[in-house]
PDB file of all heavy atoms in Angstrom:
ATOM      1  N   LEU A1541      18.346   9.634 -15.927  1.00 97.00           N
ATOM      2  CA  LEU A1541      18.658  11.012 -15.563  1.00 97.00           C
ATOM      3  C   LEU A1541      19.921  11.497 -16.273  1.00 97.00           C
ATOM      4  O   LEU A1541      19.994  12.651 -16.711  1.00 97.00           O
ATOM      5  CB  LEU A1541      18.826  11.132 -14.051  1.00 97.00           C
ATOM      6  CG  LEU A1541      17.530  11.031 -13.242  1.00 97.00           C
ATOM      7  CD1 LEU A1541      17.833  10.893 -11.760  1.00 97.00           C
ATOM      8  CD2 LEU A1541      16.647  12.255 -13.483  1.00 97.00           C
ATOM      9  N   GLU A1542      20.896  10.623 -16.385  1.00 97.00           N
ATOM     10  CA  GLU A1542      22.134  10.995 -17.078  1.00 97.00           C
ATOM     11  C   GLU A1542      21.874  11.246 -18.559  1.00 97.00           C
ATOM     12  O   GLU A1542      22.457  12.149 -19.162  1.00 97.00           O
ATOM     13  CB  GLU A1542      23.177   9.901 -16.899  1.00 97.00           C
ATOM     14  CG  GLU A1542      24.567  10.317 -17.337  1.00 97.00           C
ATOM     15  CD  GLU A1542      25.639   9.372 -16.848  1.00 97.00           C
ATOM     16  OE1 GLU A1542      25.314   8.208 -16.512  1.00 97.00           O
ATOM     17  OE2 GLU A1542      26.811   9.792 -16.795  1.00 97.00           O
ATOM     18  N   LEU A1543      20.975  10.455 -19.147  1.00 97.00           N
ATOM     19  CA  LEU A1543      20.603  10.632 -20.542  1.00 97.00           C
ATOM     20  C   LEU A1543      19.972  12.010 -20.749  1.00 97.00           C
ATOM     21  O   LEU A1543      20.291  12.723 -21.717  1.00 97.00           O
ATOM     22  CB  LEU A1543      19.614   9.536 -20.960  1.00 97.00           C
ATOM     23  CG  LEU A1543      19.002   9.634 -22.356  1.00 97.00           C
ATOM     24  CD1 LEU A1543      20.082   9.506 -23.428  1.00 97.00           C
ATOM     25  CD2 LEU A1543      17.945   8.544 -22.546  1.00 97.00           C
ATOM     26  N   ILE A1544      19.075  12.394 -19.839  1.00 98.00           N
ATOM     27  CA  ILE A1544      18.428  13.710 -19.931  1.00 98.00           C
ATOM     28  C   ILE A1544      19.460  14.821 -19.739  1.00 98.00           C
ATOM     29  O   ILE A1544      19.498  15.800 -20.493  1.00 98.00           O
ATOM     30  CB  ILE A1544      17.309  13.841 -18.882  1.00 98.00           C
ATOM     31  CG1 ILE A1544      16.225  12.786 -19.122  1.00 98.00           C
ATOM     32  CG2 ILE A1544      16.706  15.241 -18.908  1.00 98.00           C
ATOM     33  CD1 ILE A1544      15.260  12.610 -17.967  1.00 98.00           C
ATOM     34  N   PHE A1545      20.306  14.657 -18.730  1.00 98.00           N
ATOM     35  CA  PHE A1545      21.311  15.679 -18.433  1.00 98.00           C
ATOM     36  C   PHE A1545      22.246  15.913 -19.612  1.00 98.00           C
ATOM     37  O   PHE A1545      22.582  17.059 -19.945  1.00 98.00           O
ATOM     38  CB  PHE A1545      22.120  15.281 -17.202  1.00 98.00           C
ATOM     39  CG  PHE A1545      23.346  16.117 -16.983  1.00 98.00           C
ATOM     40  CD1 PHE A1545      23.238  17.460 -16.641  1.00 98.00           C
ATOM     41  CD2 PHE A1545      24.614  15.577 -17.132  1.00 98.00           C
ATOM     42  CE1 PHE A1545      24.371  18.250 -16.447  1.00 98.00           C
ATOM     43  CE2 PHE A1545      25.748  16.350 -16.945  1.00 98.00           C
ATOM     44  CZ  PHE A1545      25.627  17.689 -16.610  1.00 98.00           C
ATOM     45  N   ASP A1546      22.664  14.853 -20.282  1.00 97.00           N
ATOM     46  CA  ASP A1546      23.594  14.990 -21.404  1.00 97.00           C
ATOM     47  C   ASP A1546      23.016  15.823 -22.543  1.00 97.00           C
ATOM     48  O   ASP A1546      23.747  16.511 -23.264  1.00 97.00           O
ATOM     49  CB  ASP A1546      24.007  13.614 -21.921  1.00 97.00           C
ATOM     50  CG  ASP A1546      25.049  12.939 -21.022  1.00 97.00           C
ATOM     51  OD1 ASP A1546      25.690  13.659 -20.238  1.00 97.00           O
ATOM     52  OD2 ASP A1546      25.206  11.716 -21.107  1.00 97.00           O
ATOM     53  N   LYS A1547      21.695  15.758 -22.721  1.00 97.00           N
ATOM     54  CA  LYS A1547      21.049  16.600 -23.732  1.00 97.00           C
ATOM     55  C   LYS A1547      20.818  18.019 -23.202  1.00 97.00           C
ATOM     56  O   LYS A1547      20.988  19.014 -23.920  1.00 97.00           O
ATOM     57  CB  LYS A1547      19.703  15.980 -24.124  1.00 97.00           C
ATOM     58  CG  LYS A1547      19.806  14.677 -24.887  1.00 97.00           C
ATOM     59  CD  LYS A1547      20.256  14.926 -26.320  1.00 97.00           C
ATOM     60  CE  LYS A1547      20.206  13.639 -27.130  1.00 97.00           C
ATOM     61  NZ  LYS A1547      20.624  13.857 -28.537  1.00 97.00           N
ATOM     62  N   TRP A1548      20.423  18.082 -21.952  1.00 97.00           N
ATOM     63  CA  TRP A1548      20.064  19.355 -21.334  1.00 97.00           C
ATOM     64  C   TRP A1548      21.272  20.295 -21.238  1.00 97.00           C
ATOM     65  O   TRP A1548      21.177  21.494 -21.516  1.00 97.00           O
ATOM     66  CB  TRP A1548      19.478  19.067 -19.962  1.00 97.00           C
ATOM     67  CG  TRP A1548      18.878  20.219 -19.223  1.00 97.00           C
ATOM     68  CD1 TRP A1548      18.631  21.479 -19.690  1.00 97.00           C
ATOM     69  CD2 TRP A1548      18.431  20.206 -17.861  1.00 97.00           C
ATOM     70  NE1 TRP A1548      18.053  22.257 -18.709  1.00 97.00           N
ATOM     71  CE2 TRP A1548      17.917  21.496 -17.582  1.00 97.00           C
ATOM     72  CE3 TRP A1548      18.392  19.241 -16.864  1.00 97.00           C
ATOM     73  CZ2 TRP A1548      17.393  21.830 -16.337  1.00 97.00           C
ATOM     74  CZ3 TRP A1548      17.871  19.566 -15.628  1.00 97.00           C
ATOM     75  CH2 TRP A1548      17.379  20.841 -15.372  1.00 97.00           C
ATOM     76  N   ARG A1549      22.419  19.759 -20.846  1.00 96.00           N
ATOM     77  CA  ARG A1549      23.581  20.601 -20.547  1.00 96.00           C
ATOM     78  C   ARG A1549      24.124  21.330 -21.773  1.00 96.00           C
ATOM     79  O   ARG A1549      24.790  22.354 -21.649  1.00 96.00           O
ATOM     80  CB  ARG A1549      24.685  19.757 -19.899  1.00 96.00           C
ATOM     81  CG  ARG A1549      25.346  18.744 -20.803  1.00 96.00           C
ATOM     82  CD  ARG A1549      26.338  17.875 -20.034  1.00 96.00           C
ATOM     83  NE  ARG A1549      26.923  16.844 -20.876  1.00 96.00           N
ATOM     84  CZ  ARG A1549      27.996  17.023 -21.625  1.00 96.00           C
ATOM     85  NH1 ARG A1549      28.619  18.199 -21.631  1.00 96.00           N
ATOM     86  NH2 ARG A1549      28.474  16.041 -22.364  1.00 96.00           N
ATOM     87  N   VAL A1550      23.861  20.791 -22.981  1.00 96.00           N
ATOM     88  CA  VAL A1550      24.375  21.443 -24.185  1.00 96.00           C
ATOM     89  C   VAL A1550      23.357  22.403 -24.807  1.00 96.00           C
ATOM     90  O   VAL A1550      23.644  23.057 -25.809  1.00 96.00           O
ATOM     91  CB  VAL A1550      24.814  20.400 -25.240  1.00 96.00           C
ATOM     92  CG1 VAL A1550      25.974  19.574 -24.715  1.00 96.00           C
ATOM     93  CG2 VAL A1550      23.661  19.499 -25.656  1.00 96.00           C
ATOM     94  N   ALA A1551      22.151  22.490 -24.222  1.00 96.00           N
ATOM     95  CA  ALA A1551      21.170  23.460 -24.699  1.00 96.00           C
ATOM     96  C   ALA A1551      21.661  24.866 -24.353  1.00 96.00           C
ATOM     97  O   ALA A1551      22.245  25.089 -23.289  1.00 96.00           O
ATOM     98  CB  ALA A1551      19.813  23.205 -24.061  1.00 96.00           C
ATOM     99  N   PRO A1552      21.485  25.824 -25.245  1.00 94.00           N
ATOM    100  CA  PRO A1552      21.975  27.190 -25.001  1.00 94.00           C
ATOM    101  C   PRO A1552      21.493  27.761 -23.670  1.00 94.00           C
ATOM    102  O   PRO A1552      20.302  27.747 -23.371  1.00 94.00           O
ATOM    103  CB  PRO A1552      21.392  27.992 -26.181  1.00 94.00           C
ATOM    104  CG  PRO A1552      21.203  26.978 -27.266  1.00 94.00           C
ATOM    105  CD  PRO A1552      20.816  25.712 -26.562  1.00 94.00           C
ATOM    106  N   GLY A1553      22.461  28.226 -22.875  1.00 93.00           N
ATOM    107  CA  GLY A1553      22.142  28.886 -21.619  1.00 93.00           C
ATOM    108  C   GLY A1553      21.744  27.966 -20.481  1.00 93.00           C
ATOM    109  O   GLY A1553      21.326  28.438 -19.415  1.00 93.00           O
TER     110      GLY A1553
END
Side-chain angles (χ1 to χ4, degrees):
L1541 288 169
E1542 192 166 21
L1543 174 64
I1544 299 166
F1545 168 67
D1546 283 341
K1547 292 286 187 179
W1548 188 9
R1549 69 185 177 87
V1550 296

